[in-house]
C-alpha cells in the first residue's frame, strides 16, 4: 500500500488540476520517490471516534465529498451555446461498465426539456393499421426487458482525426456512456399498431425544442430496438430523454432519440437535417457517406491516461475499455511500442453484447518513453483500425465515427500525452 | 389476437423467433389508445424529400426578407454569414473542396425540403414552432436566394419547393457495411514509428490559450 501513501495524493491531485488547464509543471520531481518516502505511524483519525451522519442525511445520495473532481465537463468553444452542445463523461475516473446516471455524457440540440410525464405521449402512426398513443404508464404495463448497452456519440473523437488536439482522456473519448436500460421492445409496440406491407423506414422524433428527428430502417426496429423509460434502475434522467427515449443498441447516439414523442412508419428516409447536413461523413472525394449508423469497434487505454500519469516505474496494470456496436468484444491487444508488437490483454468482468467491456494487461515499465495503444476485435471479426488506415479511406474531414486506435505517449516522467503516429 | 392476415406480419413473426426468448410473445396487449389524425396533427410536422407533409401557403425571398432579418439575422447574420459561433447559412459547392471544407445550405444540404422542415421545427432557436407556414416558405426562399439557388422572386409552395434542385443533391452515398478492413498483426507490424502530432503542441492546447482559460474556468 506504500504507493498510496498520503504524500503522493496532493501531488497527483495537483497534477490533475494542472493538466486540466493545460500544464504539466506539477509533475516534475515527483516520479520515483513514492516508494522510499518515510511512512509515518498510523494515527487514529477523527472518523474512527466520532459518529457519522445519520440515515437520510441525503434523501437522494451523492458521491463522497472527496470525489468532487469526478464530473462531466464541456468545451465552451466547441459549440454555439450550451443548449446546442455536448458534455463529456470522466472516463479517467470510471471503474465499471455502467456509467453513473449523473455522469452520463450529454448531447442535445435545444437544451434539456423539463417534461411532465403526465403530459407526455408517444404516438405511433403512418403506415400502420391502427395509429396508437401511449403514455409512460402504458409502456410500463408491457413485458419489459433490461439490457446493458453503451451509447456513443458519432462525434466521439471528432477533433482528433486530423491531428492530436485535446490532451485529456475525458475529451478525446468521453462521448460514450453505458447503462442498464429498461423498456419495451419496439417490435411489440409496432405489432400493436400493425405495420403495413411496404413499410421500410421509421422516423423517430423528440419532444424537445429541436424536435430532433431521425430516420432508421424497420429491420433495426424489428431486431433489438427498445423504447426505454428507465436507466440503471431509476427513471431516465432528463438529460437522457425523460420520460422515454429510443434505444438503437450499438448505433450512433443521435439516432437514439430522446424525449421520444412520435414514431412514424413509412417507405423511405425523411432526410432530416441531422441525417444530411450533420451526422454524415464527408470523404476526400467530396461525397459523403450517409446513414452510417453503426458505432464500429473501438477501445482506449484508460489507465494510465493524461489525467492519471504513471507514478512509478516497475510493475503496472494497464487497463482500458473496449466496445463494439456490432456485438461482443472478442479480444483486445495492447502495444507498448506504437503498434510494432502486440500482446493479448485479458478481458475482465461481464462481456455483453454492444456493451462496454474492460480489459487489463500487466506490464513492467522500465522508465523509458513508450507508446501505448489498444486494439479491439469484435465477435464479427472486425478489427479496430489504425488512424492511418482510417485516414487512407476517409481522409481527415469525415468527423464522425473516428474509431481509430489511440496512442498515448508515456514520457519518462510518467506523464501521458495524446499523440498520433504515422 | 395475432395479425396473420398480412404477409409482413408473418415475416415479423419469423424474425422474432430468432431473437430473445423473453420477447417472443407477439400478443396484442392493447395498452395503447387508438387515435385519429386530428389528435396528433400538431405533432405530425415532418416533411419528406418529395414534399410530403408540406402545408398550404407560399413565400418568396422578397416576402421572407423581413422575417429573416428580424427573427434570424441576429444569430445567422444579415447575409447568412453566421455570427460568432452560430452556423453560417450561405456558401457554394466550392466550400466542400480543399483542406478544410465547410458544410452549409449551399455547399452541402441535398434537399430544400429539409431546410423548410428544419426551420419549421427548430428555428428560431429558443422560439421554435412560432413561424407561420407563409413565413417558413418566405424565409426558406430568402436563404435559398442568398445561396443563389433560386431567384429573388421565385415563389415557393408545396409544389415548387420539392422541385428545387440543391447543388449537392448527388453528394451522398448510402453506407453499407464497414469501409475499413483492418487485420490482426502481432509481431513486427510496422517498420518505423514516427510521432506526427502531439496534443501538447496542438491548436486546442497551445495556440489557443483562451480556450484553455475557458476550460479552466469551467472546472472551478
Amino acid at each position: 500500500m506504500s504507493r498510496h501513501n498520503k504524500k503522493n495524493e496532493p501531488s497527483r491531485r495537483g497534477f490533475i488540476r494542472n493538466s486540466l488547464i493545460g500544464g504539466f509543471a506539477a509533475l516534475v520531481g515527483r516520479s520515483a520517490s513514492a516508494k522510499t518516502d518515510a511512512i509515518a505511524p498510523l494515527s487514529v483519525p477523527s472518523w474512527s471516534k466520532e459518529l457519522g451522519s445519520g440515515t437520510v442525511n441525503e434523501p437522494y445520495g451523492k458521491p463522497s465529498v472527496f470525489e468532487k473532481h469526478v464530473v462531466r465537463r464541456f468545451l465552451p468553444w466547441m459549440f454555439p451555446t450550451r443548449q446546442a452542445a455536448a458534455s463529456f463523461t470522466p472516463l479517467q475516473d470510471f471503474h465499471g461498465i455502467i456509467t453513473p446516471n449523473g455522469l452520463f455524457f450529454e448531447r442535445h440540440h435545444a437544451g434539456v426539456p423539463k417534461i411532465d410525464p403526465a403530459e407526455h405521449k408517444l404516438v405511433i402512426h403512418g403506415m400502420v393499421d391502427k395509429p396508437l398513443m401511449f403514455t409512460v404508464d402504458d409502456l410500463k404495463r408491457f413485458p419489459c426487458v433490461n439490457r446493458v448497452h453503451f451509447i456513443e456519440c458519432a462525434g466521439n473523437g471528432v477533433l482528433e482525426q486530423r491531428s492530436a488536439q485535446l490532451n485529456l482522456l475525458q475529451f478525446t473519448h468521453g462521448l460514450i456512456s453505458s447503462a442498464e436500460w429498461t423498456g419495451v421492445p419496439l417490435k411489440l409496440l409496432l405489432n400493436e399498431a400493425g405495420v403495413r406491407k411496404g413499410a421500410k423506414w421509421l422516423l423517430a422524433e423528440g419532444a424537445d425544442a429541436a424536435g430532433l428527428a431521425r430516420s432508421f430502417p424497420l429491420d433495426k426496429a424489428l431486431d433489438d430496438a427498445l423504447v426505454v423509460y428507465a436507466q440503471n434502475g431509476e427513471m431516465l434522467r432528463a438529460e437522457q430523454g425523460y420520460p422515454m427515449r429510443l434505444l438503437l443498441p450499438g448505433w450512433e447516439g443521435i439516432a437514439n432519440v430522446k424525449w421520444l414523442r412520435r414514431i412514424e412508419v413509412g417507405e423511405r428516409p425523411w432526410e432530416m437535417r441531422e441525417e444530411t447536413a450533420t451526422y454524415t461523413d464527408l470523404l476526400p472525394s467530396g461525397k459523403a457517406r450517409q446513414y452510417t449508423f453503426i458505432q464500429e469497434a473501438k477501445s482506449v487505454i484508460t489507465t494510465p491516461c493524461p489525467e492519471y500519469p504513471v507514478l512509478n516505474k516497475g510493475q503496472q496494470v494497464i487497463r482500458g475499455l473496449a466496445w463494439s456496436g456490432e456485438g461482443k468484444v472478442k479480444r483486445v491487444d495492447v502495444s507498448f511500442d506504437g503498434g510494432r508488437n502486440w500482446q493479448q490483454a485479458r478481458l475482465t468482468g461481464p462481456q455483453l453484447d454492444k456493451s462496454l467491456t474492460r480489459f487489463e494487461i500487466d506490464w513492467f515499465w522500465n522508465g523509458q518513453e513508450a507508446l501505448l495503444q489498444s486494439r479491439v476485435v469484435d465477435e464479427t471479426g472486425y478489427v479496430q483500425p489504425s488512424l492511418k488506415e482510417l485516414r487512407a479511406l476517409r481522409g481527415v474531414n469525415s468527423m464522425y465515427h473516428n474509431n481509430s486506435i489511440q496512442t498515448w505517449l508515456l514520457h519518462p516522467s510518467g506523464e501521458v500525452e495524446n499523440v498520433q503516429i504515422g | 389476437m395475432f395479425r396473420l392476415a398480412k404477409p409482413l406480419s408473418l415475416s415479423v413473426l419469423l424474425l422474432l423467433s430468432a431473437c430473445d426468448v423473453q420477447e417472443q410473445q407477439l400478443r396484442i396487449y392493447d395498452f395503447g389508445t387508438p387515435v385519429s389524425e386530428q389528435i396528433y396533427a400538431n405533432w405530425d410536422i415532418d416533411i419528406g424529400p418529395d414534399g410530403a407533409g408540406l402545408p398550404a401557403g407560399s413565400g418568396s425571398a422578397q416576402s421572407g426578407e423581413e422575417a429573416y432579418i428580424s427573427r434570424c439575422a441576429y444569430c445567422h447574420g444579415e447575409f447568412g454569414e453566421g455570427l460568432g459561433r452560430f452556423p453560417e447559412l450561405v456558401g457554394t459547392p466550392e466550400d466542400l473542396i480543399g483542406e478544410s471544407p465547410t458544410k452549409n445550405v449551399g455547399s452541402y444540404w441535398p434537399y430544400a425540403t429539409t431546410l423548410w422542415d428544419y426551420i419549421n421545427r427548430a428555428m428560431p432557436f429558443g422560439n421554435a414552432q412560432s413561424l407561420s407556414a407563409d413565413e417558413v416558405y418566405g424565409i426558406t426562399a430568402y436563404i435559398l436566394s442568398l445561396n443563389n439557388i433560386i431567384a429573388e422572386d421565385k415563389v415557393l409552395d408545396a409544389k415548387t419547393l420539392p422541385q428545387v434542385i440543391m447543388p449537392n443533391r448527388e453528394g451522398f452515398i448510402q453506407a453499407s457495411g464497414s469501409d475499413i478492413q483492418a487485420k490482426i498483426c502481432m509481431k513486427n507490424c510496422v517498420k518505423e514509428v514516427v510521432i506526427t502530432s502531439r496534443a501538447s503542441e496542438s491548436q486546442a492546447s497551445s495556440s489557443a490559450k483562451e480556450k484553455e482559460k475557458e476550460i479552466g474556468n469551467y472546472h472551478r
Side-chain angles (χ1 to χ4, degrees):
Chain A
M1 292 310 288
S2 57
R3 246 181 268 181
H4 286 276
N5 63 21
K6 278 188 180 169
K7 241 192 140 198
N8 236 334
E9 280 305 297
S11 69
R12 201 190 62 173
R13 286 258 164 74
F15 171 78
I16 296 162
R17 216 177 26 250
N18 278 296
S19 70
L20 287 176
I21 55 170
F24 282 118
L27 202 75
V28 180
R30 190 227 66 237
S31 51
S33 62
K35 259 206 164 157
T36 52
D37 283 345
I39 302 172
L42 296 170
S43 59
V44 180
S46 59
W47 54 78
S48 301
K49 301 175 188 167
E50 298 156 9
L51 293 177
S53 56
T55 49
V56 208
N57 188 45
E58 288 281 0
Y60 193 102
K62 291 188 191 127
S64 158
V65 293
F66 299 101
E67 298 296 316
K68 288 227 157 80
H69 56 289
V70 184
V71 290
R72 297 187 280 223
R73 295 184 170 90
F74 98 128
L75 295 164
W77 47 267
M78 240 175 118
F79 301 99
T81 80
R82 282 168 74 139
Q83 279 77 31
S87 73
F88 301 76
T89 195
L91 284 183
Q92 69 279 10
D93 288 299
F94 177 51
H95 304 288
I97 61 163
I98 305 272
T99 310
N101 287 341
L103 295 176
F104 209 101
F105 85 92
E106 304 164 275
R107 175 71 172 120
H108 41 251
H109 294 257
V112 177
K114 197 170 169 183
I115 297 177
D116 177 352
E119 304 269 305
H120 186 81
K121 308 283 190 294
L122 168 64
V123 173
I124 297 183
H125 71 110
M127 292 176 68
V128 297
D129 294 337
K130 188 166 80 168
L132 289 174
M133 185 171 81
F134 298 94
T135 64
V136 183
D137 288 340
D138 293 339
L139 288 191
K140 287 180 183 165
R141 293 178 68 195
F142 280 96
C144 69
V145 293
N146 289 291
R147 291 223 206 103
V148 176
H149 288 302
F150 71 82
I151 295 182
E152 182 182 22
C153 179
N156 202 13
V158 67
L159 291 184
E160 307 294 322
Q161 194 172 345
R162 187 187 292 263
S163 58
Q165 288 292 323
L166 299 167
N167 212 11
L168 290 172
L169 169 62
Q170 183 159 13
F171 294 137
T172 56
H173 289 77
L175 293 180
I176 182 163
S177 296
S178 158
E180 181 208 22
W181 307 96
T182 309
V184 187
L186 178 53
K187 62 195 167 199
L188 270 190
L189 301 178
L190 290 175
N191 189 54
E192 298 281 314
V195 173
R196 290 212 175 125
K197 201 178 166 202
K200 284 204 184 75
W201 284 78
L202 279 65
L203 181 76
E205 181 183 81
D208 58 331
L212 190 111
R214 280 280 310 222
S215 313
F216 65 104
L218 181 64
D219 289 352
K220 183 67 172 176
L222 300 180
D223 178 14
D224 58 358
L226 302 175
V227 176
V228 299
Y229 46 81
Q231 86 185 88
N232 297 334
E234 61 180 1
M235 288 298 285
L236 293 174
R237 288 296 170 92
E239 305 95 298
Q240 293 312 317
Y242 183 87
M244 54 177 85
R245 85 176 298 172
L246 180 65
L247 194 79
L248 301 181
W251 285 19
E252 55 186 3
I254 183 85
N256 295 257
V257 174
K258 302 190 277 192
W259 314 294
L260 183 69
R261 73 168 190 184
R262 194 165 68 90
I263 291 177
E264 185 171 339
V265 182
E267 285 179 82
R268 42 111 188 91
W270 279 256
E271 312 286 353
M272 290 286 145
R273 181 237 183 186
E274 277 84 9
E275 53 200 22
T276 53
T278 56
Y279 299 94
T280 46
D281 312 0
L282 183 62
L283 302 175
S285 66
K287 300 264 184 207
R289 297 180 86 216
Q290 193 182 16
Y291 298 113
T292 40
F293 290 111
I294 298 170
Q295 293 298 112
E296 292 178 320
K298 187 169 174 179
S299 68
V300 64
I301 290 170
T302 57
T303 305
C305 62
E307 288 92 329
Y308 289 103
V310 179
L311 296 177
N312 304 97
K313 54 183 178 179
Q315 190 60 49
Q316 314 293 330
V317 180
I318 305 301
R319 356 187 121 82
L321 286 165
W323 61 93
S324 166
E326 294 196 277
K328 290 180 184 159
V329 164
K330 196 168 82 187
R331 69 183 269 180
V332 176
D333 302 311
V334 171
S335 172
F336 299 101
D337 57 9
R340 258 172 286 216
N341 299 293
W342 297 83
Q343 285 164 253
Q344 192 167 349
R346 28 176 212 277
L347 303 183
T348 62
Q351 288 142 44
L352 304 171
D353 183 44
K354 300 163 188 165
S355 290
L356 294 181
T357 301
R358 293 218 153 253
F359 66 86
E360 272 187 6
I361 189 167
D362 297 340
W363 181 52
F364 191 90
W365 182 40
N366 60 11
Q368 312 273 298
E369 204 171 84
L371 289 162
L372 277 55
Q373 299 181 324
S374 65
R375 175 185 69 195
V376 58
V377 183
D378 73 15
E379 63 178 344
T380 70
Y382 177 90
V383 182
Q384 182 183 8
S386 67
L387 189 54
K388 207 173 168 181
E389 288 167 313
L390 185 130
R391 282 203 199 118
L393 274 168
R394 300 196 196 151
V396 292
N397 294 308
S398 54
M399 285 174 61
Y400 305 100
H401 305 286
N402 175 3
N403 67 329
S404 62
I405 290 170
Q406 170 68 40
T407 308
W408 297 130
L409 169 60
L410 175 55
H411 291 271
S413 64
E415 295 161 60
V416 173
E417 186 184 356
N418 171 20
V419 301
Q420 297 186 351
I421 54 177
Chain B
M1 142 204 107
F2 286 120
R3 294 183 191 184
L4 288 177
K6 296 208 168 59
L8 180 80
S9 299
L10 186 60
S11 66
V12 168
L13 268 178
L14 292 175
L15 253 173
L16 283 172
S17 60
C19 304
D20 261 339
V21 183
Q22 50 176 345
E23 294 164 26
Q24 268 182 27
Q25 315 112 339
L26 260 208
R27 183 168 291 161
I28 295 287
Y29 293 90
D30 242 346
F31 295 154
T33 307
V35 282
S36 63
E37 242 174 89
Q38 299 94 279
I39 302 294
Y40 55 83
N42 288 337
W43 289 9
D44 185 9
I45 55 173
D46 55 87
I47 310 302
D50 52 2
L54 278 172
S58 65
S60 66
Q62 283 151 353
S63 76
E65 177 168 4
E66 208 184 297
Y68 176 86
I69 297 297
S70 66
R71 310 214 45 193
C72 319
Y74 63 98
C75 290
H76 294 293
E78 251 178 77
F79 306 101
E81 71 276 21
L83 305 181
R85 285 191 293 265
F86 293 112
E88 64 192 22
L89 304 181
V90 168
T92 65
E94 283 74 59
D95 294 347
L96 272 196
I97 301 163
E99 264 289 282
S100 305
T102 51
K103 302 172 191 168
N104 50 54
V105 171
S107 71
Y108 201 58
W109 289 49
Y111 297 98
T113 48
T114 308
L115 187 58
W116 199 102
D117 173 279
Y118 182 69
I119 294 169
N120 181 55
R121 70 171 60 237
M123 291 292 139
F125 192 71
N127 193 12
Q129 303 196 50
S130 62
L131 301 168
S132 70
D134 284 347
E135 282 176 314
V136 181
Y137 280 115
I139 292 171
T140 302
Y142 185 75
I143 294 171
L144 291 175
S145 113
L146 283 178
N147 280 285
N148 292 320
I149 294 167
I150 61 169
E152 264 179 42
D153 56 358
K154 168 86 181 172
V155 176
L156 295 183
D157 57 24
K159 193 164 158 272
T160 56
L161 177 68
Q163 292 165 357
V164 173
I165 305 290
M166 300 294 278
N168 199 39
R169 173 68 189 85
E170 302 301 326
F172 292 82
I173 44 181
Q174 303 308 305
S176 62
S178 297
D179 52 344
I180 304 168
Q181 316 278 317
K183 289 205 175 67
I184 303 180
C185 165
M186 299 302 284
K187 289 270 167 270
N188 302 317
C189 304
V190 272
K191 280 207 192 78
E192 207 189 1
V193 175
V194 185
I195 295 179
T196 53
S197 84
R198 297 166 178 260
S200 61
E201 294 163 3
S202 75
Q203 263 187 329
S205 62
S206 70
S207 81
K209 277 271 174 274
E210 279 310 297
K211 294 173 182 175
E212 280 169 7
K213 263 190 241 147
E214 281 180 88
I215 305 173
N217 287 342
Y218 190 68
H219 289 315
R220 267 188 279 116

